[in-house]
Amino acid sequence: MKKIVFMFVAFGLLSCAEMQQVMAQLPQGTSVLSQGEIGNGLKEALNNGISKQVSKLTATDGFFKNEAVKILLPDELKAVDKKLRQIGMSKLADEGLKVINRAAEDAVKEATPIFVDAVKQMTFTDAKNILMGNENSATTYLQNTTSTALYAKFNPVIKSSFTKVGADKVWKEIITKYNSIPLVKKVNPDLTDYTTNKAMDGVFKMIAVEEKDIRTNLASRSSDLLKKVFALQDKK
């Protein structure tokens, strides 16, 4: 089937040349929604992913008991975990993993305003590519436009959260005990950086889940606007 190329201004004005180029690409007889309807439909889809999925991560155990995004230990600490369990300190090892995930759950609360700003700044080309792209185009757009801001926001929050949830004390104890074991290779991991990146990965993974659902499951298009807008995508 012919790929439908439609036009709309999400948040801004198109140049006359660009408008004419898009008009020329429209198939004869193709009926399109208004620019406002398409823009609002796409915003609604993005907001659904942000509000429904990201909010799940901020709850207690949002990371820790969600196998899709649970933060596991970095490779350099797997030996630490194994050794602690060998010497009867499994409880401390378990707590070390839990508090990392608790810090991520705390930091993700800062994500929504950053995503909202990214949606507001979408250009015409962004919006067209998102709707007519693959099943994670919106997620990819958010990832490309927000990663720097998310890291800058998450990193200090996670550092603070480590103190709030007791992760700093737990991991200081873990590392101190491990490094005191004879003949082991000493470790000094940057858990703040590691947890920041893993928290970001989890956020984008959950948004991608919602995006795919809206694109592929008609029942997930929870409003008439979503149904009409994503019907254009179905015809590509």
Side-chain angles (χ1 to χ4, degrees):
M1 296 179 69
K2 291 183 178 180
K3 182 176 181 179
I4 297 177
V5 182
F6 57 88
M7 65 173 182
F8 67 90
V9 183
F11 305 96
L13 297 175
L14 298 177
S15 68
C16 291
E18 186 178 6
M19 183 76 78
Q20 291 172 356
Q21 182 181 18
V22 175
M23 287 285 289
Q25 293 174 340
L26 288 171
Q28 291 294 321
T30 297
S31 176
V32 295
L33 298 172
S34 72
Q35 298 170 9
E37 285 178 312
I38 295 172
N40 288 335
L42 187 56
K43 285 189 289 181
E44 183 178 337
L46 287 168
N47 287 333
N48 281 356
I50 294 167
S51 63
K52 291 171 64 176
Q53 298 298 339
V54 176
S55 62
K56 293 178 182 178
L57 297 177
T58 66
T60 300
D61 291 328
F63 273 87
F64 190 60
K65 290 189 177 179
N66 183 342
E67 292 301 322
V69 297
K70 182 178 180 179
I71 301 176
L72 304 178
L73 294 178
D75 289 341
E76 68 177 310
L77 290 181
K78 289 178 181 176
V80 175
D81 183 83
K82 182 178 180 180
K83 180 63 70 173
L84 288 177
R85 295 182 189 281
Q86 288 176 343
I87 62 176
M89 302 187 70
S90 296
K91 184 176 181 180
L92 181 60
D94 290 339
E95 186 65 17
L97 185 60
K98 181 184 291 186
V99 291
I100 287 177
N101 284 271
R102 288 286 182 268
E105 291 156 10
D106 195 41
V108 168
K109 296 172 185 176
E110 304 292 328
T112 299
I114 294 172
F115 287 142
V116 170
D117 284 343
V119 174
K120 288 180 179 178
Q121 294 172 30
M122 272 195 301
T123 66
F124 163 71
T125 301
D126 293 330
K128 181 184 70 175
N129 290 340
I130 288 170
L131 189 58
M132 304 307 289
N134 58 35
E135 66 183 22
N136 65 345
S137 292
T139 305
T140 300
Y141 166 76
L142 289 176
Q143 194 163 11
N144 290 340
T145 56
T146 65
S147 288
T148 299
L150 282 179
Y151 188 94
K153 180 68 75 171
F154 278 18
N155 194 256
V157 173
I158 284 179
K159 186 174 182 179
S160 175
S161 294
F162 270 17
T163 300
K164 185 164 71 173
V165 303
D168 54 345
K169 294 180 180 179
V170 171
W171 276 99
K172 181 178 180 180
E173 182 180 0
I174 288 173
I175 297 305
T176 299
K177 288 185 179 297
Y178 178 78
N179 286 342
S180 67
I181 299 173
L183 304 179
V184 300
K185 182 180 179 180
K186 304 296 186 282
V187 296
N188 185 28
D190 185 350
L191 281 176
T192 300
D193 176 73
Y194 175 78
T195 306
T196 299
N197 284 303
K198 288 299 181 181
M200 290 168 58
D201 289 346
V203 167
F204 293 123
K205 185 174 289 188
M206 294 307 293
I207 290 176
V209 167
E210 183 68 17
E211 179 182 3
K212 181 179 179 180
D213 199 36
I214 290 175
R215 288 184 183 274
T216 60
N217 182 1
L218 296 181
S220 294
R221 298 173 187 177
S222 55
S223 71
D224 289 339
L225 184 58
L226 283 177
K227 292 173 184 176
K228 290 190 289 185
V229 169
F230 280 90
L232 294 176
Q233 172 224 251
D234 297 338
K235 297 176 183 179
K236 71 177 180 177

